[in-house]
Amino acid sequence: MFIRQLKKSKKGDIQIYSTIFVLLVFFLIMAIGLIFYLKAMKTSVINSAQEIAIDKFSLLLNTVITMPELRYSFHGSQSEALDTTKLTSFQTLLNSNKLYYQRYFGKISSIEIQQVYPQADEVLCTEKNYPQCSKWVIYSNGDKGLVYSTSILLYYPQEDKYKIGKIYIQAQ
Amino acid sequence: MKKGQLEMVGLVIIVILLLVGLVIYAVLNKPNDTESKKEESIRANNMRNSILLTSLCNTQTKYAIQKCNEDSSFAGCNTDCKAYIETEIKNMLTQMLKKGNNPVSDELYNLKVTFESGSETKTLYSIGSCKKGITSTTDSVPSSVGNYRYSFILCD
């Protein structure tokens, strides 16, 4: 009778171990699946963030370079270049309409433009030293966020010449 | 069905589920280059436009290229126009791609200018040795004697 009970309990033990083993394997598979899923989700979120950032910067860039306050136009016809005289006097305009431009630029922290071709020493442009300068700080409202840069065309009306510049937009 | 057979079927189902999961993961985890390509494409187009519209040899680069090709008496560059234009375009690209003080390799870009006249196509300039990269849209400028095509590849 005792031996029969022992045999029974051994069979029961094996069944318990078997159940525990099946559950362990099940949870292991679940955990692996979850890790894969989370990794895939992370990649997808990173891609979406990149996508949004690129779209946002393209939009910001477009916002800046299409501003009539900065863009070169001739007889009402818009050119692809930024007018350097407008860039130089923009600071005065900005100071007298600070709130308007703060709302207009939104999350932009700073906008800087640097002439890169022909190469020139980095001298900040003011109304006094223009055109003997090569850098414009169009807008500055802190130093936060990522910087996006691209090539743009600069127009110098006094010389009637186009030069190459780089625009740096920093935004949150 | 016997118990052993049922267990086998269960195991096969688990293996199939695992395989399906792996396939879904591989598909979802595939690097998404579309957006970075989009950004590079905007950059490539901006760079090509900047180069072609910049003042060079008393006109804009694209017209300097045309005049140098069509008019043997063109003296806007005050020197051998073809060599001068090539050097200056290289200089423009170097300045635009420069990051800090690091030198810019000509493997990062390729600006190709071709001239089509009738059925004949001639490559006027091929500046830089980048072969596979982000290609800008091709700009086509007609002239009285043919058609100029400007394309730009960025390998940055």
Side-chain angles (χ1 to χ4, degrees), chain B:
Chain B
M1 223 181 243
K2 283 179 184 173
K3 201 184 165 189
Q5 283 175 321
L6 274 173
E7 279 178 358
M8 284 296 285
V9 170
L11 201 69
V12 168
I13 289 171
I14 288 172
V15 171
I16 289 170
L17 281 175
L18 268 174
L19 284 174
V20 169
L22 272 173
V23 168
I24 291 171
Y25 172 74
V27 169
L28 284 176
N29 209 29
K30 216 167 101 180
N32 184 3
D33 285 345
T34 326
E35 283 308 314
S36 55
K37 276 184 182 165
K38 187 174 150 189
E39 186 200 356
E40 294 296 310
S41 170
I42 295 170
R43 273 186 72 200
N45 280 330
N46 284 345
M47 286 176 81
R48 189 212 55 203
N49 283 346
S50 301
I51 292 165
L52 296 182
L53 300 173
T54 301
S55 296
L56 192 71
C57 303
N58 298 321
T59 179
Q60 285 179 302
T61 309
K62 61 177 174 184
Y63 299 120
I65 290 171
Q66 283 185 21
K67 284 180 183 172
C68 183
N69 184 45
E70 292 169 17
D71 183 3
S72 55
S73 62
F74 174 61
C77 305
N78 295 323
T79 175
D80 171 22
C81 60
K82 197 168 190 295
Y84 181 78
I85 289 170
E86 193 163 339
T87 311
E88 285 308 301
I89 291 177
K90 260 187 195 171
N91 201 358
M92 288 176 203
L93 285 161
T94 306
Q95 293 306 322
M96 281 193 275
L97 291 168
K98 206 167 153 186
K99 284 172 190 160
N101 289 323
N102 301 327
V104 177
S105 160
D106 73 347
E107 289 172 358
L108 294 180
Y109 55 80
N110 178 257
L111 180 84
K112 197 171 180 181
V113 183
T114 54
F115 175 63
E116 295 167 358
S117 180
S119 58
E120 204 181 316
T121 303
K122 194 167 85 177
T123 300
L124 298 179
Y125 299 88
S126 182
I127 303 164
S129 57
C130 163
K131 294 224 165 26
K132 266 189 176 180
I134 311 294
T135 312
S136 74
T137 51
T138 304
D139 194 10
S140 184
V141 182
S143 84
S144 53
V145 288
N147 200 26
Y148 291 84
R149 285 186 181 277
Y150 305 90
S151 62
F152 182 65
I153 309 173
L154 186 65
C155 291
D156 190 15

Side-chain angles (χ1 to χ4, degrees), chain A residues 74-93:
Chain A
F74 185 71
H75 289 311
S77 147
Q78 298 275 330
S79 142
E80 286 193 41
L82 297 182
D83 189 329
T84 52
T85 51
K86 287 185 177 180
L87 296 181
T88 311
S89 54
F90 184 72
Q91 203 59 44
T92 319
L93 191 67

